[in-house]
Amino acid sequence: MWLLTVLLLWVPVDGQVDPTKAGITLQPPWVSVFQEETVTLQCVGPRVPGNSATLWFLNGTATPTSTPSYSIASASDRDSGEYRCRTGLSVLSDPVQLEVRRDWLLLQVSSRVVMEGEPLALRCHAWKNKQVYNVFYYQNGKVIKSFNRNSDLTIPKTNINHNGIYHCSGMGRNRYTSAGVSVTVKELFPAPVLKASVTSPLLEGNLVTLSCETKLLRQRPGLQLSFAFYMGSKTLQGRNTSSEYQILAARSEDSGLYWCEAPSKHNSVSK
Ligand SMILES: *[C@@H]1O[C@H](CO)[C@@H](O)[C@H](O)[C@H]1NC(C)=O
Ligand SMILES: *[C@@H]1O[C@H](CO)[C@@H](O)[C@H](O)[C@H]1NC(C)=O
């Protein structure tokens, strides 16, 4: 009997983002703010040299703003909505949903939708920036982190277990609890399965094909899976786009623990 174990890393080949698509960054980086707070949206994308003209859309309607940054000096309900932008040489960005709220405590997130492997930041923010203590962060109703003094919480590398509804609570004059925020982590590929093209018992001299089976769930330019095969700590086949490896004539010395991986230059996801 062979023990088969699988490890797979995901590889962005050259950068993670479609270079022709505009992107929106927020400063401060939160997609929800209290009323009267300040937030600046920045449109990032290729431009014709000397031409900084930018188009900004709110809820699908063009706005008068034509600069690379869209500043909200004192947020109000009217600033809530779905923002998109584009620069001279880019296509329309993905939307950023900005929410303007009135409450005592606000769980802020850096993004409501993240790609697996990307970071996620959370902040338990009190109205007027008042100090709160004994702060608890919750995911799906369970405490995931607590701080005596309020602090942001960063998840450096998200995976699908980070899906869910987040909220926080903190002690000011009373104990305050924020509303919940839904965060979706988009999976890049399912956990791979290493398969062998033989049925047990394996006889010596047989051809064995190992295949590392998974596929990208999302196509993004520049992204592809690659694979490597190992037996124990020995590399059988280094990085390769081929998801198969052949053992030409299996011998008893070939018995052991096999695993495969697909390595990445940047932000790797391993399963
Ligand atoms: C945009 O849509 C959101 C949600 O539907 C709404 O709350 C907001 O008022 C709209 N903003 C504008 C400027 O129309
Ligand atoms: C990938 O594997 C194929 C088939 O085994 C081989 O011909 C090719 O040279 C390999 N490529 C690299 C970059 O190792």
Side-chain angles (χ1 to χ4, degrees):
M1 225 354 229
W2 290 13
L3 253 179
L4 301 181
T5 301
V6 179
L7 174 76
L8 192 117
L9 301 168
W10 161 76
V11 192
V13 172
D14 38 22
Q16 281 181 272
V17 183
D18 180 346
T20 63
K21 193 179 228 182
I24 296 177
T25 59
L26 294 165
Q27 195 54 45
W30 315 110
V31 294
S32 54
V33 295
F34 281 126
Q35 285 191 356
E36 297 168 30
E37 288 187 329
T38 298
V39 57
T40 301
L41 292 80
Q42 193 79 31
C43 189
V44 184
R47 301 166 191 284
V48 181
N51 181 353
S52 65
T54 306
L55 294 175
W56 285 97
F57 300 87
L58 174 51
N59 289 351
T61 304
T63 70
T65 303
S66 62
T67 50
S69 59
Y70 185 110
S71 296
I72 298 170
S74 177
S76 73
D77 284 339
R78 290 190 315 276
D79 299 311
S80 283
E82 184 190 270
Y83 288 81
R84 288 177 188 260
C85 74
R86 56 169 293 221
T87 60
L89 297 175
S90 65
V91 297
L92 205 56
S93 69
D94 287 332
V96 165
Q97 200 77 39
L98 184 73
E99 192 188 9
V100 180
R101 293 188 63 101
R102 180 171 282 282
D103 206 342
W104 287 108
L105 204 57
L106 177 63
L107 181 83
Q108 296 178 302
V109 295
S110 52
S111 182
R112 291 185 196 85
V113 180
V114 294
M115 282 291 174
E116 184 176 29
E118 287 179 351
L120 174 70
L122 303 105
R123 180 190 189 206
C124 193
H125 176 44
W127 169 241
K128 297 277 184 201
N129 233 356
K130 291 228 168 70
Q131 193 56 254
V132 282
Y133 299 90
N134 296 314
V135 171
F136 292 90
Y137 285 89
Y138 302 81
Q139 180 193 11
N140 299 327
K142 283 205 202 110
V143 175
I144 50 167
K145 187 81 184 170
S146 64
F147 293 102
N148 288 334
R149 295 185 66 84
N150 198 359
S151 173
D152 296 359
L153 175 62
T154 301
I155 299 168
K157 198 187 245 190
T158 51
N159 61 52
I160 53 169
N161 296 325
H162 296 116
N163 269 308
I165 312 274
Y166 290 82
H167 78 276
C168 69
S169 73
M171 200 68 200
R173 198 170 288 178
N174 300 299
R175 177 153 286 274
Y176 299 113
T177 300
S178 77
V181 177
S182 175
V183 172
T184 304
V185 180
K186 290 187 169 178
E187 191 175 33
L188 288 163
F189 58 89
V193 179
L194 184 62
K195 289 198 175 148
S197 69
V198 284
T199 43
S200 312
L202 172 62
L203 300 177
E204 288 206 21
N206 282 7
L207 171 78
V208 180
T209 301
L210 297 177
S211 57
C212 197
E213 295 187 359
T214 187
K215 69 170 183 191
L216 278 178
L217 297 175
R218 292 158 212 290
Q219 298 303 326
R220 296 179 95 189
L223 298 193
Q224 78 176 106
L225 285 170
S226 65
F227 305 88
F229 289 83
Y230 302 90
M231 179 190 168
S233 57
K234 184 169 147 238
T235 305
L236 301 172
Q237 176 173 290
R239 283 178 198 206
N240 198 301
T241 51
S242 164
S243 62
E244 292 194 339
Y245 174 75
Q246 291 192 327
I247 303 168
L248 291 176
R251 292 163 305 161
S252 54
E253 305 90 278
D254 296 328
S255 298
L257 183 70
Y258 285 77
W259 50 288
C260 64
E261 75 167 4
S264 105
K265 269 191 254 170
H266 307 287
N267 179 19
S268 60
V269 171
S270 94
K271 292 184 179 179

